[in-house]
Amino acid sequence: ERERERERQRETERDHALQRNNVLTHALEHMRQQHQHATRLHTDAVDQVNKNYQYYVAAAAAKDLTEAALASRSLHYTRLQDKYAEQAVEIAALRTMVDTQQTQMKHKHTSYVTHTTDLVKAFNKERQEMALD
């Protein structure tokens, strides 16, 4: 009878040990699944960070290109403004030269008219004197 009691007790202990083992196995499996899920979340987060970084790098490169293009365009416009300013100075100089030439031409014309008038007066005076003689 004692032997049976011991045998029952051993079976009970073995059953309890199997139950504890099953509980631990179930808990271990649950932890493994949670670890896999956490790993997937971490991998997804890392992928998203990498994508965001790539977008950031692309955006920064586009911004740099845009700023370079704007700087180049601004330099181009500045050069055009300088060129136009130089042309405006040249035009003003040409206008001054034309004004000077027009003034000279008017003066020459006035001198010519005065000289011609003097010649006509002298001719008429001489003719009158010849007519009187």
Side-chain angles (χ1 to χ4, degrees), residues 42-100:
H42 175 73
T43 301
D44 291 347
V46 167
D47 289 347
Q48 189 60 47
V49 166
N50 286 335
K51 283 180 188 175
N52 290 348
Y53 180 72
Q54 289 171 357
Y55 291 143
Y56 168 78
V57 168
K63 178 180 173 269
D64 290 345
L65 287 174
T66 302
E67 286 176 354
L70 288 174
S72 174
R73 185 64 51 144
S74 176
L75 180 62
H76 177 69
Y77 287 144
T78 301
R79 287 181 180 159
L80 282 178
Q81 286 174 338
D82 291 347
K83 184 178 176 182
Y84 292 149
E86 289 172 7
Q87 288 176 349
V89 169
E90 290 175 10
I91 289 169
L94 288 173
R95 282 186 180 152
T96 302
M97 189 175 80
V98 167
D99 289 346
T100 302

Side-chain angles (χ1 to χ4, degrees), residues 122-133:
F123 176 75
N124 286 337
K125 185 177 178 185
E126 235 178 86
R127 205 171 79 191
Q128 281 177 353
E129 287 176 2
M130 287 176 113
L132 290 178
D133 287 340

Side-chain angles (χ1 to χ4, degrees), residues 10-34:
R10 275 186 245 154
E11 282 181 24
T12 303
E13 287 175 4
R14 193 174 40 217
D15 287 345
H16 286 147
L18 284 173
Q19 285 176 355
R20 280 193 306 269
N21 190 20
N22 286 341
V23 168
L24 289 173
T25 301
H26 180 71
L28 185 62
E29 177 60 24
H30 182 67
M31 287 174 62
R32 188 186 65 75
Q33 289 174 0
Q34 284 183 331

